[in-house]
Amino acid sequence: MGRPSSLAFRALDLHVVRGRADEPALVTPRGSLSYAQLLHESASFAGGLRDLGLRTGAPVRLDVSDRHLWVVSVLAIVRLGAEPQEEAAFSITGDPATVHAAGEEYEFDLVLRAGRVDPATAAVHDEGDYAERMERRYGDVLATLVHGGTLT
């Protein structure tokens, strides 16, 4: 299987494995999250999204103004290997943020809490050029984290 090298793994998991779990990864007016906390939040949200049916390659729309929730959402989408698109039946939108799936609407925090039961793991490897496309789309978030920086 080889060493994990997916973008999601390199952005968060690798830093935790290398002993940087308690270093700051995200600092917003909502609060600060260490690498371990951001990993837990994004993996939990990804688990909740997965439980609602979001899968690798599935289209998802992201339009959330809250920086903290937007970062967690980006990392969850990348963790699942979903495809961000402007128009998609599956969406994470609004203020307060809500998840729309299969004609239903769910509060962001509810999906996050539900995912804590079975957080999503990072893929071992990304499919095709997925990592490059996500780095182009969300470079400010992903490049900062891959290089061990702190998001604001």
Side-chain angles (χ1 to χ4, degrees):
M1 232 161 96
R3 196 176 94 222
S5 61
S6 70
L7 181 56
F9 185 86
R10 290 182 287 125
L12 291 172
D13 305 59
L14 187 60
H15 298 295
V16 173
V17 169
R18 289 186 173 165
R20 300 187 60 225
D22 295 329
E23 292 182 22
L26 176 63
V27 178
T28 67
R30 183 183 275 264
S32 300
L33 294 177
S34 68
Y35 273 90
Q37 290 168 323
L38 185 55
L39 170 59
H40 179 69
E41 291 294 284
S42 59
S44 294
F45 190 56
L49 295 173
R50 179 197 59 220
D51 291 348
L52 292 174
L54 190 61
R55 299 284 182 261
T56 301
V60 59
R61 179 172 176 247
L62 176 60
D63 184 14
V64 176
S65 59
D66 183 297
R67 173 75 172 166
H68 184 100
L69 299 181
W70 186 81
V71 168
V72 170
S73 298
V74 165
L75 294 166
I77 288 167
V78 170
R79 193 164 203 81
L80 292 174
E83 293 288 341
Q85 295 182 5
E86 293 305 313
E87 296 299 322
F90 204 109
S91 66
I92 308 160
T93 60
D95 185 15
T98 56
V99 175
H100 302 266
E104 298 292 327
E105 183 176 301
Y106 306 90
E107 293 177 17
F108 185 98
D109 288 338
L110 178 67
V111 176
L112 176 68
R113 287 192 313 269
R116 288 193 175 129
V117 174
D118 186 19
T121 59
V124 175
H125 299 286
D126 294 312
E127 298 286 327
D129 67 343
Y130 184 78
E132 292 79 17
R133 288 186 291 111
M134 293 306 103
E135 287 172 327
R136 278 194 302 274
R137 186 168 191 127
Y138 302 122
D140 62 322
V141 170
L142 297 169
T144 300
L145 293 174
V146 166
H147 291 99
T150 303
L151 296 169
T152 56

